[in-house]
Amino acid sequence: MPLPRALEPFRLGRYRVLAFAMFLSVFGAGMWAVALVNQVLQLDGTAVDLSAVTATGALGMLVFVLVGGIAADRFPLASVLRLVEAANLLTAAAVAVLAVAGGLRMWQLAAAAFVFGAGFGFFYPAYSASLPRILPARQLLAANGTEGTARPLLQQAAGPAVAGVLIGVAAPGGALALIALCHAAALALLLRLHVPGQDAGPGAETTAGSTGEPDAEPAGGPGVEPTPGSTGGPGAETAGGAAAAPAAGSAGAPHAGAPLPAPGAGKRPPPQEPAGALRSVRDDLMEGVSYTVRTPWLLWTLLWAVLAVFLLLGPLEVLVPFLVRDRLGGDASVFGYLLACYGGASALASLVVASLPLPRRYLSWMIVLWGFGTLPFGLVATTDSFWVMALCLAFVGAGDGAGMVLWGTLLQRRVPRHLLGRVSSLDFFVSIALMPVSMAVAGPVAQVVPLPVIFWTVALLTPALGLGALWAGRMREDELAHPLAG
């Protein structure tokens, strides 16, 4: 019996192992958000204490996400994922034991938050880089849709809800114990994971392209940016380890949207002496940065994303709660319902996109979904109706979720595999770099600028900047020069 398109990746055992490990890890992260707050309150902590602890976790993620991308490109991906879950397991177990024994201190919570944040910085690039090695290119959209559906449902809804129930009925540390159990189960699954082309011995390199799938595509699929070793000659990397034909539109020469190959790109660096390790890390990072700068569609999407996140996140997280209070007469629970509408719509839109073929104008659609999805955001500051506010935020969330599925798929299909970990981590780093700034300035700006002006500026300026990025990156020409099937 044929499976729906969104579920096709689950036919492959390797993907099932990776996906369910991700589900468990994300569910544990959702519980940690609530368990952390509870432990801070149990220690008679203040809002300043909670802010310091959560900021420490964000710092761990910010510091290590770029290093995590380098690790994903240099080391076996399954090993990176296992080490992350092992660290998460030990950290959650230690905090649970300390909580039950009554010996937990605030600095220990901050240290645990730092470890969890750093772990996410390693997990995300390794997970993203694993998908194109496990799945045929045509199934990457469905796999990214699965992640886009699971994250808001498990991390923002189910995880916090279960943690809240456990905190209410269980002994101290009950939620923390379940978090440790989730990471233990994820680690047990990852011990069975084999990422083809990396973890096998010599001569055993196979990927989804060699599992009998008739339509498995070369690594990255048609349209992957050319690098040395991917022009169809000897040593070209493909999903099955064989030589591939030149990407569509390349003709063995530079083309619209394609960067000039960097000397030595695609080669794994030789073992480094300790004295040269720091230089090697820097060189690896700069190779990913250089590729991004030389790839117009990638560069301009990232630049636009930085500005879009800066414009949207502060008003959403900081100013909407005051609109709920002043316009709706609601409290934090009403704000929570609105965020649930945002997250639920994001999950549903991710599932819908995962069920459809990749659009021919994939870059244009990505910009439209992300950019024009913010248009109703202006109404949030002018309505006195909960349902209008909820519908507007659901529309914004749907555009965000759908665009993210397309974006993740394009990274996996168009970025060369040996650079995917670094580019994914750079994408994540750049995307979150201005989030704290956005939240910090939203309040002061609202003291001098009326809220409707702020919200309508975000609603209209975001798509306008998106259209500018579409033009500056020559994306419409690029997507036709690099068609992606499926």
Side-chain angles (χ1 to χ4, degrees), residues 15 29 141 160 341:
Y15 176 73
L141 186 68
C341 292

Side-chain angles (χ1 to χ4, degrees), residues 98-420:
L98 288 170
V100 172
L104 188 61
R105 299 293 180 265
M106 199 69 69
W107 71 266
Q108 294 164 337
L109 275 177
F114 186 87
V115 173
F116 282 130
F120 185 80
F122 280 92
F123 191 97
Y124 172 74
Y127 172 84
S128 182
S130 297
L131 290 179
R133 295 177 179 273
I134 289 175
L135 293 172
R138 68 179 180 84
Q139 292 183 358
L140 290 174
L141 186 68
N144 284 293
T146 296
E147 181 191 4
T149 302
R151 282 196 181 276
L153 292 181
L154 295 176
Q155 190 167 353
Q156 299 173 14
V162 171
V165 171
L166 287 174
I167 289 169
V169 302
L176 293 167
L178 185 56
I179 293 170
L181 183 61
C182 285
H183 290 300
L187 176 59
L189 284 171
L190 291 171
L191 290 174
R192 301 176 50 205
L193 178 65
H194 163 60
V195 179
Q198 278 204 332
D199 303 330
E205 292 192 3
T206 58
T207 69
S210 61
T211 60
E213 296 281 352
D215 53 356
E217 295 180 356
V224 67
E225 306 295 349
T227 63
S230 65
T231 56
E237 290 185 33
T238 71
S250 66
H255 45 72
L260 295 174
K267 299 179 181 179
R268 287 192 176 272
Q272 297 288 320
E273 296 295 330
L278 185 59
R279 184 183 305 110
S280 176
V281 169
R282 181 197 63 195
D283 291 345
D284 280 355
L285 178 59
M286 290 310 300
E287 184 183 7
V289 173
S290 176
Y291 174 83
T292 300
V293 171
R294 292 181 289 109
T295 309
W297 69 270
L298 183 57
L299 173 65
W300 284 99
T301 302
L302 284 179
L303 291 176
W304 173 56
V306 171
L307 296 175
V309 168
F310 174 76
L311 289 171
L312 179 65
L313 261 293
L316 177 63
E317 298 285 349
V318 177
L319 302 183
V320 170
F322 291 96
L323 288 172
V324 169
R325 184 195 66 184
D326 297 338
R327 286 190 164 272
L328 304 183
D331 55 13
S333 63
V334 176
F335 177 60
Y337 297 147
L338 291 174
L339 288 185
C341 292
Y342 181 99
S346 176
L348 181 60
S350 297
L351 184 61
V352 170
V353 173
S355 304
L356 300 172
L358 187 69
R360 177 169 173 263
R361 290 280 191 176
Y362 49 84
L363 291 170
S364 299
W365 271 106
M366 180 184 71
I367 297 294
V368 166
L369 289 168
W370 262 344
F372 288 85
T374 64
L375 284 176
F377 194 61
L379 292 174
V380 172
T382 57
T383 183
D384 294 323
S385 166
F386 168 83
W387 293 109
V388 172
M389 198 175 287
L391 184 62
C392 290
L393 290 178
F395 195 92
V396 176
D400 179 56
M404 282 298 297
V405 173
L406 291 176
W407 173 244
T409 304
L410 296 183
L411 289 181
Q412 292 156 0
R413 294 188 65 172
R414 293 200 55 181
V415 174
R417 283 198 302 187
H418 71 280
L419 290 169
L420 182 54

Side-chain angles (χ1 to χ4, degrees), residues 25-77:
S25 187
V26 167
F27 182 66
M31 287 193 293
W32 169 250
V34 175
L36 175 62
V37 173
N38 179 63
Q39 291 302 320
V40 170
L41 295 177
Q42 291 292 321
L43 294 173
D44 295 324
T46 66
V48 174
D49 294 320
L50 180 58
S51 178
V53 171
T54 54
T56 302
L59 179 64
M61 180 171 56
L62 198 62
V63 168
F64 282 100
V65 68
L66 295 179
V67 180
I70 295 172
D73 288 337
R74 289 174 66 94
F75 302 110
L77 294 166

